[in-house]
C-alpha cells in the first residue's frame, strides 16, 4: 500500500529560530534567548488552549507568546513593531534540506503539510520558501479547533489525506508531535535536528530517527 507522508511545518521545514536575527534590533545579544522562549511559549499556549477547549488559531498563540517572551526579558514593543514581527513570522526561513528532500519525494509518495498553523499562514510561509507547490495538500488543525497532540487532530489527518485505510507517516522534528502521532496509531519519523535533544522516555518510540531530512528517502522503504 502507498505510504502517505505528512510533514510538520514549524521546526521541521521552516526554522522559528530564524526570528532571532530580526529580534536583535529589539533584544540585542538576548535575541536568541527571546526567540527560544517565544517558540517555547507558543507551543505551551497551544497545548493549554487545546486542553482547555478554548481554541484560538496558532497566530493568536504566537502573538501572545511574543508578548510573554518580551515581558519576561523586560523588553517592550510598540504595536507597530509587534505587527512587523508577526508579519515576519510568515516568512520564516526554510531549512536547507527541506526543498531538496520534498522535490526528491514528490511523485513517489503523496505529500501533505500537516500543522498547527492556519491555512493562510501555511500558504504564506510555505509559498515564501517555494515549498507549497511540492505538496498535494495542506492539513491544518484549524478544521478541528484543537492542536497537536490531541488524538482528534491525527485522526482528522488520516481522513484529510485519504489515509484511513492505508499508512500515514508523520515527519516531525518535534518529539512531542512524534509521540502524539505514534499514540494515535500513525507511523512517525523523528528528525533530530539538534544533536543534544533527548527523546522523552514514555515507552513510545519513533518509527525511525534521522538527523536531516536528506536521510528520509532512504529510510522510507524500511518503515
Amino acid at each position: 500500500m502507498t505510504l502517505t507522508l505528512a510533514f510538520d511545518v514549524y521546526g521541521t521545514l521552516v526554522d522559528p529560530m530564524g526570528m532571532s536575527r530580526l529580534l536583535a534590533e529589539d533584544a540585542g545579544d538576548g535575541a536568541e534567548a527571546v526567540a527560544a522562549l517565544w517558540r517555547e511559549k507558543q507551543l505551551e499556549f497551544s497545548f493549554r488552549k487545546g486542553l482547555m477547549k478554548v481554541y484560538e488559531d496558532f497566530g493568536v498563540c504566537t502573538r501572545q507568546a511574543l508578548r510573554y517572551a518580551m515581558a519576561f526579558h523586560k523588553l517592550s514593543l510598540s504595536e507597530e513593531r509587534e505587527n512587523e514581527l508577526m508579519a515576519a513570522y510568515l516568512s520564516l526561513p526554510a531549512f536547507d534540506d527541506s526543498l531538496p528532500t520534498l522535490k526528491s519525494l514528490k511523485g513517489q509518495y503523496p505529500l501533505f503539510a500537516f500543522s498547527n498553523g492556519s491555512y493562510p499562514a501555511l500558504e504564506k510561509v510555505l509559498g515564501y520558501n517555494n515549498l507549497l507547490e511540492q505538496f498535494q495538500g495542506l492539513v491544518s488543525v484549524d478544521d478541528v479547533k484543537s492542536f497537536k497532540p490531541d488524538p482528534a487532530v491525527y485522526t482528522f489527518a488520516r481522513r484529510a489525506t485519504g489515509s484511513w485505510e492505508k499508512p500515514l507517516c508523520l515527519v516531525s522534528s518535534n518529539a512531542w508531535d512524534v509521540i502524539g502521532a505514534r499514540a494515535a496509531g500513525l507511523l512517525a519519523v523523528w528528525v533530530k535536528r539538534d544533536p543534544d535533544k533527548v527523546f522523552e522516555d514514555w515507552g513510545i518510540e519513533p518509527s525511525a530517527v534521522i538527523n536531516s531530512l536528506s536521510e528520509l528517502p532512504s529510510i522510507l522503504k524500511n518503515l
Side-chain angles (χ1 to χ4, degrees):
M1 300 178 73
T2 303
L3 179 67
T4 298
L5 301 178
F7 287 81
D8 173 64
V9 176
Y10 298 101
T12 302
L13 297 176
V14 302
D15 185 7
M17 288 301 293
M19 291 302 298
S20 59
R21 180 180 58 82
L22 292 178
L23 284 166
E25 176 181 327
D26 312 284
D29 292 340
E32 287 196 10
V34 173
L37 184 59
W38 184 4
R39 171 63 170 165
E40 177 187 331
K41 286 295 177 178
Q42 176 197 49
L43 293 173
E44 180 190 325
F45 291 176
S46 69
F47 297 159
R48 287 162 56 186
K49 288 175 190 287
L51 287 169
M52 292 165 62
K53 307 300 182 186
V54 289
Y55 177 81
E56 295 178 284
D57 81 40
F58 204 47
V60 174
C61 299
T62 303
R63 187 181 291 272
Q64 292 172 341
L66 170 60
R67 290 174 177 172
Y68 178 93
M70 295 297 290
F72 181 88
H73 286 278
K74 297 180 171 55
L75 299 167
S76 61
L77 290 175
S78 67
E79 181 179 352
E80 180 182 12
R81 179 58 176 163
E82 180 181 289
N83 289 335
E84 286 177 358
L85 290 171
M86 286 297 299
Y89 211 86
L90 300 175
S91 55
L92 287 172
F95 290 103
D96 291 341
D97 54 4
S98 295
L99 184 57
T101 299
L102 292 175
K103 283 185 173 180
S104 72
L105 295 171
K106 187 176 181 181
Q108 298 186 57
Y109 301 91
L111 306 180
F112 290 84
F114 172 35
S115 177
N116 277 339
S118 66
Y119 288 110
L122 293 177
E123 288 171 357
K124 287 181 180 177
V125 74
L126 293 173
Y128 175 80
N129 290 287
N130 299 316
L131 302 177
L132 184 61
E133 63 190 35
Q134 308 305 320
F135 292 107
Q136 182 173 321
L138 305 179
V139 180
S140 169
V141 303
D142 201 43
D143 286 327
V144 185
K145 305 304 181 192
S146 188
F147 292 102
K148 302 175 187 180
D150 185 337
V153 172
Y154 300 103
T155 298
F156 171 71
R158 281 190 182 277
R159 184 166 65 250
T161 60
S163 302
W164 203 252
E165 301 293 337
K166 59 185 180 181
L168 175 62
C169 180
L170 173 76
V171 181
S172 179
S173 68
N174 299 301
W176 55 266
D177 193 12
V178 170
I179 291 172
R182 294 292 286 144
L186 277 63
L187 298 169
V189 175
W190 184 36
V191 187
K192 189 180 179 182
R193 290 198 174 280
D194 182 348
D196 295 324
K197 285 287 186 183
V198 176
F199 197 86
E200 293 94 342
D201 184 9
W202 286 24
I204 301 174
E205 298 296 327
S207 306
V209 179
I210 56 179
N211 297 309
S212 166
L213 284 177
S214 61
E215 300 170 27
L216 184 60
S218 63
I219 62 98
L220 288 175
K221 55 180 169 289
N222 296 318
L223 294 183

